[in-house]
Short mmCIF file of all heavy atoms in Angstrom, two decimals:
data_model
loop_
_atom_site.label_atom_id
_atom_site.label_comp_id
_atom_site.label_asym_id
_atom_site.label_seq_id
_atom_site.Cartn_x
_atom_site.Cartn_y
_atom_site.Cartn_z
N VAL V 462 16.62 -135.03 -29.27
CA VAL V 462 17.25 -136.21 -29.85
C VAL V 462 16.20 -137.31 -30.01
O VAL V 462 16.20 -138.05 -31.00
CB VAL V 462 18.42 -136.70 -28.95
CG1 VAL V 462 18.94 -138.05 -29.44
CG2 VAL V 462 19.55 -135.67 -28.96
N LYS V 463 15.28 -137.39 -29.06
CA LYS V 463 14.24 -138.41 -29.10
C LYS V 463 13.07 -138.03 -30.01
O LYS V 463 12.43 -138.90 -30.61
CB LYS V 463 13.70 -138.66 -27.68
CG LYS V 463 14.73 -139.25 -26.73
CD LYS V 463 14.22 -139.29 -25.31
CE LYS V 463 13.08 -140.24 -25.12
NZ LYS V 463 12.69 -140.38 -23.72
N SER V 464 12.78 -136.71 -30.13
CA SER V 464 11.53 -136.28 -30.76
C SER V 464 11.68 -135.75 -32.18
O SER V 464 10.69 -135.70 -32.91
CB SER V 464 10.86 -135.20 -29.90
OG SER V 464 10.66 -135.66 -28.59
N CYS V 465 12.88 -135.30 -32.55
CA CYS V 465 13.05 -134.69 -33.87
C CYS V 465 13.41 -135.77 -34.89
O CYS V 465 14.51 -136.33 -34.85
CB CYS V 465 14.13 -133.62 -33.82
SG CYS V 465 14.36 -132.78 -35.39
N PRO V 466 12.52 -136.08 -35.84
CA PRO V 466 12.75 -137.19 -36.77
C PRO V 466 13.85 -136.93 -37.79
O PRO V 466 14.40 -137.86 -38.38
CB PRO V 466 11.39 -137.36 -37.46
CG PRO V 466 10.76 -136.01 -37.37
CD PRO V 466 11.23 -135.41 -36.08
N THR V 467 14.18 -135.65 -38.01
CA THR V 467 15.16 -135.33 -39.05
C THR V 467 16.54 -134.98 -38.49
O THR V 467 17.46 -134.72 -39.26
CB THR V 467 14.66 -134.13 -39.88
OG1 THR V 467 14.41 -133.02 -39.00
CG2 THR V 467 13.39 -134.49 -40.63
N LEU V 468 16.69 -134.97 -37.18
CA LEU V 468 17.96 -134.60 -36.58
C LEU V 468 19.01 -135.67 -36.84
O LEU V 468 18.85 -136.82 -36.46
CB LEU V 468 17.80 -134.39 -35.06
CG LEU V 468 19.04 -133.90 -34.32
CD1 LEU V 468 19.43 -132.50 -34.79
CD2 LEU V 468 18.79 -133.90 -32.81
N LYS V 469 20.10 -135.27 -37.48
CA LYS V 469 21.17 -136.21 -37.84
C LYS V 469 22.46 -135.97 -37.06
O LYS V 469 23.21 -136.91 -36.80
CB LYS V 469 21.48 -136.11 -39.35
CG LYS V 469 20.30 -136.44 -40.25
CD LYS V 469 19.88 -137.89 -40.13
CE LYS V 469 18.86 -138.29 -41.20
NZ LYS V 469 17.58 -137.60 -41.06
N SER V 470 22.73 -134.71 -36.71
CA SER V 470 24.01 -134.38 -36.07
C SER V 470 23.79 -133.57 -34.80
O SER V 470 22.99 -132.63 -34.79
CB SER V 470 24.90 -133.58 -37.02
OG SER V 470 25.15 -134.30 -38.20
N LEU V 471 24.53 -133.93 -33.76
CA LEU V 471 24.52 -133.18 -32.50
C LEU V 471 25.96 -132.89 -32.12
O LEU V 471 26.71 -133.79 -31.77
CB LEU V 471 23.81 -133.97 -31.40
CG LEU V 471 23.83 -133.35 -30.00
CD1 LEU V 471 23.16 -131.98 -30.00
CD2 LEU V 471 23.14 -134.27 -28.99
N TRP V 472 26.35 -131.62 -32.21
CA TRP V 472 27.72 -131.20 -31.91
C TRP V 472 27.69 -130.38 -30.62
O TRP V 472 27.10 -129.32 -30.56
CB TRP V 472 28.27 -130.34 -33.05
CG TRP V 472 28.39 -131.06 -34.36
CD1 TRP V 472 27.43 -131.71 -35.04
CD2 TRP V 472 29.59 -131.20 -35.13
NE1 TRP V 472 27.91 -132.26 -36.19
CE2 TRP V 472 29.25 -131.96 -36.29
CE3 TRP V 472 30.91 -130.76 -34.99
CZ2 TRP V 472 30.18 -132.29 -37.27
CZ3 TRP V 472 31.83 -131.08 -35.97
CH2 TRP V 472 31.48 -131.84 -37.09
N LEU V 473 28.32 -130.90 -29.59
CA LEU V 473 28.40 -130.22 -28.30
C LEU V 473 29.88 -130.03 -27.94
O LEU V 473 30.41 -130.72 -27.07
CB LEU V 473 27.67 -131.01 -27.21
CG LEU V 473 26.20 -131.33 -27.46
CD1 LEU V 473 25.64 -132.23 -26.37
CD2 LEU V 473 25.38 -130.04 -27.55
N SER V 474 30.53 -129.13 -28.63
CA SER V 474 31.97 -128.95 -28.45
C SER V 474 32.27 -127.94 -27.35
O SER V 474 31.64 -126.88 -27.26
CB SER V 474 32.60 -128.45 -29.76
OG SER V 474 32.36 -129.36 -30.81
N VAL V 475 33.24 -128.28 -26.49
CA VAL V 475 33.69 -127.41 -25.39
C VAL V 475 32.51 -126.97 -24.53
O VAL V 475 32.41 -125.82 -24.12
CB VAL V 475 34.45 -126.17 -25.93
CG1 VAL V 475 35.36 -125.57 -24.84
CG2 VAL V 475 35.31 -126.52 -27.14
N CYS V 476 31.59 -127.88 -24.30
CA CYS V 476 30.42 -127.58 -23.46
C CYS V 476 30.60 -128.17 -22.07
O CYS V 476 31.24 -129.22 -21.91
CB CYS V 476 29.14 -128.14 -24.10
SG CYS V 476 28.61 -127.24 -25.55
N LYS V 477 30.04 -127.50 -21.09
CA LYS V 477 30.08 -127.99 -19.72
C LYS V 477 28.70 -128.54 -19.36
O LYS V 477 27.69 -127.87 -19.56
CB LYS V 477 30.47 -126.86 -18.76
CG LYS V 477 31.86 -126.32 -18.99
CD LYS V 477 32.17 -125.17 -18.02
CE LYS V 477 33.55 -124.60 -18.27
NZ LYS V 477 33.84 -123.45 -17.38
N PHE V 478 28.70 -129.73 -18.80
CA PHE V 478 27.43 -130.36 -18.42
C PHE V 478 27.19 -130.18 -16.92
O PHE V 478 28.09 -130.37 -16.12
CB PHE V 478 27.47 -131.85 -18.74
CG PHE V 478 27.45 -132.16 -20.21
CD1 PHE V 478 28.63 -132.20 -20.94
CD2 PHE V 478 26.26 -132.39 -20.86
CE1 PHE V 478 28.62 -132.47 -22.29
CE2 PHE V 478 26.23 -132.67 -22.21
CZ PHE V 478 27.42 -132.71 -22.94
N GLY V 479 25.95 -129.84 -16.57
CA GLY V 479 25.60 -129.70 -15.15
C GLY V 479 26.34 -128.57 -14.50
O GLY V 479 27.12 -128.78 -13.57
N VAL V 480 26.10 -127.32 -14.97
CA VAL V 480 26.90 -126.20 -14.51
C VAL V 480 26.59 -125.76 -13.08
O VAL V 480 27.35 -125.02 -12.49
CB VAL V 480 26.74 -124.98 -15.45
CG1 VAL V 480 27.28 -125.29 -16.81
CG2 VAL V 480 25.27 -124.56 -15.52
N GLU V 481 25.44 -126.20 -12.52
CA GLU V 481 25.13 -125.81 -11.15
C GLU V 481 26.19 -126.34 -10.19
O GLU V 481 26.62 -127.48 -10.30
CB GLU V 481 23.76 -126.35 -10.72
CG GLU V 481 22.60 -125.76 -11.49
CD GLU V 481 22.25 -126.59 -12.70
OE1 GLU V 481 23.04 -127.49 -13.05
OE2 GLU V 481 21.20 -126.36 -13.29
N ASP V 482 26.60 -125.50 -9.25
CA ASP V 482 27.59 -125.91 -8.27
C ASP V 482 26.88 -126.65 -7.14
O ASP V 482 26.26 -126.05 -6.28
CB ASP V 482 28.34 -124.69 -7.73
CG ASP V 482 29.47 -125.08 -6.79
OD1 ASP V 482 29.64 -126.29 -6.51
OD2 ASP V 482 30.20 -124.18 -6.35
N LYS V 483 27.00 -127.96 -7.12
CA LYS V 483 26.25 -128.77 -6.15
C LYS V 483 26.86 -128.72 -4.75
O LYS V 483 26.33 -129.30 -3.83
CB LYS V 483 26.15 -130.21 -6.65
CG LYS V 483 25.37 -130.32 -7.95
CD LYS V 483 25.33 -131.73 -8.47
CE LYS V 483 24.48 -131.82 -9.72
NZ LYS V 483 24.97 -131.00 -10.83
N ASN V 484 28.01 -128.03 -4.61
CA ASN V 484 28.62 -127.90 -3.30
C ASN V 484 28.11 -126.67 -2.55
O ASN V 484 28.31 -126.54 -1.36
CB ASN V 484 30.15 -127.80 -3.44
CG ASN V 484 30.74 -129.09 -3.96
OD1 ASN V 484 30.34 -130.16 -3.55
ND2 ASN V 484 31.69 -128.98 -4.88
N GLU V 485 27.45 -125.77 -3.30
CA GLU V 485 26.93 -124.58 -2.64
C GLU V 485 25.65 -124.92 -1.89
O GLU V 485 24.81 -125.68 -2.35
CB GLU V 485 26.64 -123.48 -3.67
CG GLU V 485 27.91 -122.83 -4.20
CD GLU V 485 27.62 -121.48 -4.82
OE1 GLU V 485 26.60 -120.88 -4.44
OE2 GLU V 485 28.43 -121.03 -5.65
N GLU V 486 25.51 -124.28 -0.75
CA GLU V 486 24.38 -124.60 0.14
C GLU V 486 23.03 -124.31 -0.51
O GLU V 486 22.06 -125.02 -0.30
CB GLU V 486 24.52 -123.76 1.41
CG GLU V 486 23.44 -124.04 2.46
CD GLU V 486 23.61 -123.22 3.71
OE1 GLU V 486 24.67 -122.56 3.83
OE2 GLU V 486 22.72 -123.24 4.55
N LEU V 487 22.99 -123.27 -1.35
CA LEU V 487 21.71 -122.86 -1.94
C LEU V 487 21.33 -123.65 -3.17
O LEU V 487 20.24 -123.50 -3.69
CB LEU V 487 21.78 -121.37 -2.30
CG LEU V 487 21.86 -120.41 -1.11
CD1 LEU V 487 22.07 -118.99 -1.61
CD2 LEU V 487 20.61 -120.48 -0.26
N THR V 488 22.23 -124.50 -3.65
CA THR V 488 21.94 -125.23 -4.87
C THR V 488 21.05 -126.43 -4.59
O THR V 488 21.33 -127.21 -3.69
CB THR V 488 23.26 -125.73 -5.51
OG1 THR V 488 24.10 -124.60 -5.72
CG2 THR V 488 22.99 -126.41 -6.83
#
Side-chain angles (χ1 to χ4, degrees):
V462 172
K463 295 172 67 174
S464 304
C465 182
T467 56
L468 184 64
K469 299 295 189 295
S470 301
L471 175 60
W472 297 55
L473 303 175
S474 302
V475 201
C476 288
K477 296 179 181 178
F478 290 86
V480 295
E481 295 92 348
D482 185 357
K483 296 177 177 61
N484 294 318
E485 286 199 24
E486 183 179 350
L487 292 174
T488 304

